[in-house]
Structures are given as C-alpha cells and as structure tokens.
C-alpha cells in the first residue's frame, strides 16, 4: 500500500441549483518522499484535489488514505502552503512561522527554537521581526514555507506557491525548495500550471484534464537533480508534457 | 514648502473663521446682548468660572469613560462570538437590529423610572448607546476576515480559543476601533442629554441650569467644552488605531 492513496475521488460542488463537477474518479498513489506536481489548465480541479488531500474539503465520493488510515479532516502530519501565502498581517515573520506550533500547543520556548532554526533554513535571518507588508513577495513565500515546515510534516501540500513571483525569484525559490526538501524528507504535492516548473521539480508529473477533472497521464521525470533547463533531456520532457496538455489548451482556446 | 503646508492644522481654519463671524455679528448688535454673548464674555467664563466648568466636565467625562469602557468590554467578546458562530448570529440578528435603533433620549424616562435620578440611569444609557456600534462593527470585522487565514488555522488544527484571540480579534481590530469611535461619540451625546434630565451634575445639567439663571455665556461655554472633548476623543481613538493597527500600513488607505 502506498503512503498516500487516492481512490476514486469525485468532487461535485453544489450551490443552489448549480452543480460543478470538479473532479471525476481520480486515482493517484504517492510514495513517502516523492515529489509530485499536479499540472493542468486553469479550472481543471488542481486546487480542489489539494484541498481534499489537506482534509479541508470533503470528497463527494471516493477515499483518501494516508499510511493506511482513511483521511477525515486535516492530518497531523500534513502542512499546507497556500497560494496567497496566507500570512497573518498583524504577526511578525517569526510569529507567523511559529503559528502552526502554537496551534498544536507547543510551549513558547520550544516554538522559538524551532522557528529560529527554520528562519535560517529558508534564509530569512535579519527579517524575522518584520511584518508581512514589509517583506518582498519571495520572502513572504519563504515565511509560508517555513511555517509549513515547523511541524516536520510528512506531507507538504503546496498550491501554486510561486505563482505570484517574477521569473527570477521563482527560479531561486524552486532551487531553495528542493534544497529544503532534501533536508526534511516529505511527500510533496505541488500544484502548478507552469510546465517548466513541473519538469524542474517533480519526480512524477500528474497531468489533469478539465471539466470534470480527471487524470490524463502521469509522466515520470528521471533526471538527476539539480536539473538544467537548457539540456536536451529537459526539453524532451517539456515536449512530452506539452503534447499531453496541448489538446486541452486548444480546446479551451476554440471555445 | 509642501510638507510645511501638510503639517499646518488646516482643520482649525473654519473654527477661527466661525469665531470671527461670531464676534462681528455680536458687535453689529443684531440681537440683544443679553441673549447673544460675545466671544469675550464666553472667554471670561473660561477664565473666571473655570472651577465650575471643570467640575461639571469631570462629572460628564467620568460617566462617559465608565459607560463606554463597560460597553467595550461587554460588546467586543459578544461581537466576536456572534461573528464567529453562524447559529448565534442568526439567533441575535433581529434583536440587534431592533435594539440598535432605539434612540437614547427615548429611553431616558424609562431609565429614570427604573433607576431614579443619579449616576446609574446616565451610565446605563451611555452603556446602551455605546454597546451597539461596537457589537455591530465587531461582527462586521470578524465576518470580513480573509478566508485563507481561517483555512490556515483549520489546516493547523488550531483550537477555537486561538482562532478567536490570535486571528479574529486582531483581524477585526480596525473595525472594532471604528465602532469604538462611533461609540465614544454616541456616549458623549447621550451623557449630555441624560444629564439634562436624569442627574444633577455634568455639562448637560450645567447648560440647563444656566438657561434657568439666564446665563447664555455659560451655555455657550458648555457647548464649546462638549465640542472640544468630542474632537479630542476622536483624535485619541485615531491615534490608537494608528498605533494598534500599524500592520495595516500599505494594505488599506487611511480612514
Ligand atoms: N468552493 C467552490 N464552490 C463551487 N465551485 C468551485 C469551488 N471551488 C472550485 N470550484 C469549481 O471547481 C472547478 C475546479 O476548480 P479548482 O479551483 O480546483 O481549479 P484549479 O485547477 O485549481 O484552477 P486554477 O489553476 O485556476 O487555480 C472550477 O470549475 C471551479 O469553478
Ligand atoms: Mg487553483
């Protein structure tokens, strides 16, 4: 049995008379320590799948098991990094980072020690007492990632964490994430709609099709890290992925 | 030059013009001097009868401070709970909408019947007048919390007490202080009115008494004190807002 096992997950959003079929019969397995990227066009249900994995949204049908246990509500070993970083504007970077520990009732001294360690890991030293509005977009994402790592999660769920960043910062953050992931082994499920981001990061790329969201294809990326986006092998993977989602893009374009 | 202008107390200009217009009207002798005091006469009240003014001002201030403080500590927790829990909101909504519409003046006769003449009816009326704006703005503030932040708390399995104290309270604080500002204004209006009927001290009482002994200069002096203190309250609460909500910098426009 796999570490994460998604079995026949279907999600229908109902709002009054309207129904949105967001996910249809999604099946996905992930091993411990694996880096998975969810890729697909906008509205194909990536965030929905991540919300279900995080236990924040119930599935309409199907099951998610983690380590053999059916998931009901947020899992103690999982952490979520939100797209809009989800930082508390009235807390300093350090207090934000310590929040997940505080939520678990970890005593203040221990919170301080763990968050100080992570401030160094994500390269925020010197900025720990700044408030979110005083930080750059990349730094805010680092705070969000550090907060997610404080509880030593076995599962890291990230919804387009670098979506709002410029290309250069994004590149730096991707490399940083891989470095941190090498230090804290965890299964990462990373939502993106950038193909090169997926090929740069993932062990396996899960390509989804829209309305209703289904898994179209899973493409393994067996390239050694750190990956160089200029190599022919990297481009070959890009081309493979692009071919898979090309149909969806053209279908959206002609609609 | 520009910064010099921006630092001038521009707000004082209309007031100075008003005093000049008043002086001119008084000297023109349109109204009998017995009914229409000159600025000099009123200034004399401040100089020569300061102990009397100060005694009544203190009495009014003490009532407002007490009534509004009690309103603050009762209304904020209630508002937080109503804003947080949907059922409580539905339970209380109609009641709040009805009670907040009662003008304090209309309740004065009832308050006197119940509590007699003295501090008690006045303070209770102030409490009532100040309670509703704070409750309503607290509820509003809580409901406007960024949804991602609640998702962060849920994913971290934060207990409700932590959500209320560390997320909803600070998130609603700007709105709470806006309510507090309205409440201080309402309390101040109410104290003057209540003192005209329910108590034998305070600025409201002083003004009514001045009418009976035919001292229009005292009436105007009392009105000036009332206005000035209203202005001071407002400035004070704005300063509190700037101090406590500095994390809002760059997030919202100055209120
Ligand atoms: N809370 C909700 N209520 C109703 N419909 C929803 C809700 N959340 C998502 N949907 C719908 O479900 C579908 C999938 O949405 P989802 O957010 O999972 O897409 P996505 O792949 O993350 O898109 P994007 O790349 O734009 O973030 C969309 O059609 C969306 O409108
Ligand atoms: Mg999404």
């Amino acid at each position: 049995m796999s570490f994460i096992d998604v079995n026949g997950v279907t999600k229908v959003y109902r709002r009054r008379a309207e129904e949105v079929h967001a996910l249809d019969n999604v099946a996905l397995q992930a091993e411990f320590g694996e880096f998975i990227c969810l890729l697909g066009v906008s509205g194909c249900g990536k965030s929905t799948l991540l919300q279900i994995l995080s236990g924040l949204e119930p599935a309409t049908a199907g099951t998610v098991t983690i380590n053999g246990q059916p998931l009901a509500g947020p899992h103690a070993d999982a952490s979520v990094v939100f797209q809009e970083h989800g930082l508390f504007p009235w807390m300093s970077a350090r207090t934000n980072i310590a929040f997940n520990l505080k939520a678990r009732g970890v005593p203040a001294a221990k919170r301080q020690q763990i968050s100080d360690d992570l401030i160094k890991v994500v390269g925020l030293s010197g900025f720990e007492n700044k408030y979110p509005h005083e930080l750059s977009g990349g730094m805010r994402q680092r705070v969000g990632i550090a907060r997610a790592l404080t509880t030593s999660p076995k599962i890291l769920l990230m919804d387009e964490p670098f979506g709002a960043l410029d290309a250069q910062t994004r590149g730096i953050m991707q490399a940083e994430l891989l470095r941190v992931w090498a230090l804290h082994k965890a299964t990462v499920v990373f939502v993106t709609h950038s193909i090169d981001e997926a090929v740069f990061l993932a062990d396996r790329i899960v390509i989804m099709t829209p309305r209703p969201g289904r898994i179209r294809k899973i493409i393994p990326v067996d390239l050694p890290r750190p990956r160089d986006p200029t190599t022919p092998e990297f481009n070959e993977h890009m081309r493979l992925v692009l071919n898979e989602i090309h149909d969806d893009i053209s279908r959206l374009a002609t609609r | 030059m520009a910064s010099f202008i921006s630092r001038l107390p521009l707000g004082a200009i209309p007031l100075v013009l008003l005093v000049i217009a008043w002086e001119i009207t008084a000297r023109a002798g349109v109204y009998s001097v017995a009914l229409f005091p000159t600025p000099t006469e009123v200034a004399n009240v401040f100089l020569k009868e300061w102990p009397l003014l100060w005694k009544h001002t203190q009495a009014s201030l003490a009532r407002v401070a007490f009534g509004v403080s009690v309103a603050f500590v009762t209304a904020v927790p209630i508002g937080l709970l109503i804003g947080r829990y949907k059922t409580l909101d539905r339970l209380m909504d109609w009641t709040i909408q009805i009670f907040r519409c009662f003008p304090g003046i209309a309740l004065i006769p009832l308050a006197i019947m119940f509590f007699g003449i003295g501090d008690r009816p006045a303070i209770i009326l102030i409490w009532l007048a100040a309670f509703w704006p704070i409750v309503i703005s607290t509820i509003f503030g809580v409901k406007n919390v960024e949804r991602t932040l609640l998702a962060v708390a849920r994913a971290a399995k934060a207990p409700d007490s932590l959500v209320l104290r560390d997320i909803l309270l600070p998130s609603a604080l700007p709105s709470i202080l806006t309510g507090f500002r309205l409440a201080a204004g309402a309390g101040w209006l109410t104290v003057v009115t209540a003192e005209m009927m329910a108590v034998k001290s305070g600025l409201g009482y002083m003004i009514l008494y001045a009418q009976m002994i035919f001292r229009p200069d005292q009436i105007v002096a009392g009105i000036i004190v009332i206005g000035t203190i209203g202005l001071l309250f407002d400035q004070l609460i704005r300063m509190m807002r700037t101090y406590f909500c500095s994390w809002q910098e760059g997030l919202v426009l100055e209120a």
Side-chain angles (χ1 to χ4, degrees):
Chain A
M1 174 154 255
S2 301
F3 181 57
I4 300 178
D5 198 338
V6 178
N7 220 318
V9 162
T10 294
K11 178 73 187 180
V12 181
Y13 287 109
R14 285 201 181 81
R15 196 166 280 170
R16 299 194 193 92
E18 222 182 318
E19 280 195 357
V20 180
H21 217 107
L23 292 176
D24 184 54
N25 202 13
V26 169
L28 178 66
Q29 279 78 41
E31 298 310 324
F32 180 66
E34 211 179 1
F35 202 122
I36 305 262
C37 276
L38 293 181
L39 186 70
V41 292
S42 186
C44 71
K46 306 182 293 292
S47 295
T48 302
L49 182 54
L50 205 76
Q51 295 262 308
I52 291 172
L53 285 173
S54 67
L56 292 172
E57 251 329 311
T60 311
T63 55
V64 176
T65 59
I66 291 178
N67 234 345
Q69 298 291 318
L71 184 71
H75 194 279
D77 286 334
S79 277
V80 186
V81 178
F82 291 84
Q83 177 162 16
E84 292 305 325
H85 54 72
L87 300 187
F88 302 106
W90 50 84
M91 293 182 193
S92 66
R94 177 189 271 121
T95 320
N96 262 294
I97 291 171
F99 180 82
N100 286 7
L101 294 171
K102 195 173 183 186
R104 277 156 211 246
V106 175
K110 182 98 182 150
R111 291 205 297 265
Q112 169 100 17
Q113 181 212 323
I114 297 177
S115 34
D116 280 352
D117 284 350
L118 277 160
I119 285 166
K120 289 196 199 91
V121 170
V122 299
L124 277 173
S125 300
F127 294 91
E128 52 270 60
N129 294 321
K130 297 262 187 258
Y131 286 80
H133 73 268
E134 301 169 309
L135 299 174
S136 71
M139 288 174 172
R140 286 179 209 166
Q141 274 316 339
R142 283 167 208 253
V143 175
I145 292 170
R147 176 172 65 191
L149 293 174
T150 50
T151 53
S152 312
K154 296 203 175 79
I155 305 165
L156 195 53
L157 305 166
M158 311 178 88
D159 193 352
E160 299 191 43
F162 308 145
L165 303 181
D166 61 90
Q168 201 182 347
T169 315
R170 198 179 174 126
I172 296 169
M173 293 299 295
Q174 288 165 354
E176 290 277 295
L177 175 62
L178 289 178
R179 187 175 62 79
V180 171
W181 173 62
L183 286 171
H184 298 248
K185 259 307 173 207
T187 304
V188 181
V189 181
F190 187 106
V191 170
T192 179
H193 43 223
S194 151
I195 296 171
D196 49 354
E197 183 164 68
V199 176
F200 186 76
L201 293 174
D203 289 322
R204 285 191 297 149
I205 301 174
V206 176
I207 298 172
M208 296 177 64
T209 56
R211 279 164 224 244
R214 290 199 181 98
I215 291 181
R216 179 185 182 95
K217 185 133 193 196
I218 297 179
I219 296 181
V221 186
D222 294 319
L223 299 174
R225 292 188 178 91
R227 292 173 185 162
D228 180 354
T230 57
T231 58
E233 295 83 1
F234 195 96
N235 279 304
E236 179 56 27
H237 279 87
M238 294 266 293
R239 204 181 52 76
L240 267 174
V241 176
L242 194 58
N243 276 345
E244 282 302 329
I245 62 173
H246 184 78
D247 292 352
D248 289 338
I249 293 173
S250 51
R251 215 170 62 205
L252 279 178
T254 54
R255 220 168 27 192
Chain B
M1 184 67 196
S3 78
F4 174 69
I5 288 177
S6 73
R7 247 180 278 162
L8 279 177
L10 276 189
I13 292 177
L15 300 173
V16 172
L17 290 178
L18 207 63
V19 174
I20 293 172
W22 172 18
E23 179 76 41
I24 293 170
T25 323
R27 285 190 190 197
V30 184
Y31 297 102
S32 146
V33 274
L35 296 176
F36 197 76
T38 63
T40 326
E41 283 174 323
V42 175
N44 266 333
V45 176
F46 279 95
L47 292 173
K48 296 188 180 140
E49 295 178 83
W50 178 245
L52 174 88
L53 267 181
W54 180 232
K55 185 185 85 184
H56 288 298
T57 306
Q58 272 182 314
S60 299
L61 274 179
R63 286 184 194 118
V64 174
F66 188 71
V68 173
S69 306
V70 173
F72 189 81
V73 297
T74 48
V76 170
I78 291 176
L80 284 176
L81 293 175
I82 293 178
R84 170 75 171 148
Y85 300 107
K86 190 113 196 129
T87 323
L88 210 54
D89 184 29
R90 286 179 45 213
L91 184 75
M92 296 309 297
D93 188 37
W94 292 9
T95 313
I96 291 174
Q97 298 312 327
I98 291 172
F99 271 78
R100 80 188 177 100
C101 291
F102 291 163
I105 308 169
L107 296 174
I108 292 179
L110 259 189
I112 294 177
M113 277 165 63
F114 272 53
F115 306 108
I117 300 280
D119 269 334
R120 265 212 300 175
I123 287 172
I124 285 168
L125 288 170
I126 295 164
W127 173 67
L128 262 181
F131 183 80
W132 304 110
I134 302 179
V135 163
I136 290 167
S137 60
T138 306
I139 297 174
F140 178 80
V142 170
K143 286 186 179 171
N144 269 298
V145 61
E146 204 191 312
R147 299 186 64 81
T148 316
L149 300 183
L150 290 182
V152 170
R154 231 158 25 100
K157 294 167 159 291
D160 260 18
S161 57
L162 188 69
V163 173
L164 284 167
R165 201 187 61 214
D166 279 24
I167 301 180
L168 297 178
L169 179 63
S171 163
L173 197 59
S175 174
I176 292 175
L177 289 180
T178 303
F180 187 50
R181 205 170 135 192
L182 294 174
W188 191 232
L189 284 182
T190 308
V191 76
V192 174
T193 325
E195 282 165 353
M196 292 188 165
M197 298 166 79
V199 213
K200 298 239 170 293
S201 64
L203 289 168
Y205 172 76
M206 190 196 87
I207 288 173
L208 204 71
Y209 190 72
Q211 186 209 347
M212 288 190 256
I213 60 170
F214 215 71
R215 286 286 307 274
D217 52 340
Q218 272 191 7
I219 298 184
V220 176
I223 290 172
I224 290 175
V225 173
I226 290 169
T228 310
I229 289 178
L231 175 70
L232 289 180
F233 274 173
D234 207 66
Q235 295 292 317
L236 194 74
I237 295 172
R238 274 187 201 221
M239 275 161 58
M240 276 171 64
R241 196 181 151 125
T242 318
Y243 178 77
F244 285 114
C245 305
S246 58
W247 53 266
Q248 267 198 323
E249 267 169 55
L251 292 181
V252 296
L253 289 170
E254 270 300 302

